[in-house]
Amino acid sequence: MAVNGDLVVDDSQSLPGRGGYVHPTPECLSRMGQVARWERALRVGDVGLKASQVSRVAMELMAKFQAVIEDPNGSSSGSGKKPKRGIRL
């Protein structure tokens, strides 16, 4: 989600405005580093996003999804719950 021109992760999924989802799959994570993709999804083309913002959020999301990526079947000793959908930006 873009808040005052900055890309942020909306963990609570409660921030106002247009957001986008990143699914916990390697394919989706590999595409989230593309600035133009986020500008189009969040409709912030006039403000623009910086590559450093996208990289920071990409690293944050990769850390959050690490357990799902390593064990996509959810058989690890964590909560055992696989996210039904991605994290909202």
Side-chain angles (χ1 to χ4, degrees), residues 1-3 6-23 32-33 37-38 41-42 49 53-54 56-58 60-61 64-65 86-89:
M1 162 156 293
V3 177
D6 192 24
L7 189 62
V8 297
V9 175
D10 185 8
D11 285 322
S12 65
Q13 298 186 8
S14 62
L15 292 174
R18 183 166 177 86
Y21 285 91
V22 176
H23 301 99
M32 76 179 170
R37 186 177 290 267
W38 286 112
L42 301 177
L49 295 173
Q53 293 173 331
V54 174
R56 176 185 48 81
V57 169
E60 184 178 340
L61 290 175
K64 288 178 184 280
F65 286 145
I87 292 179
R88 182 173 189 241
L89 286 184

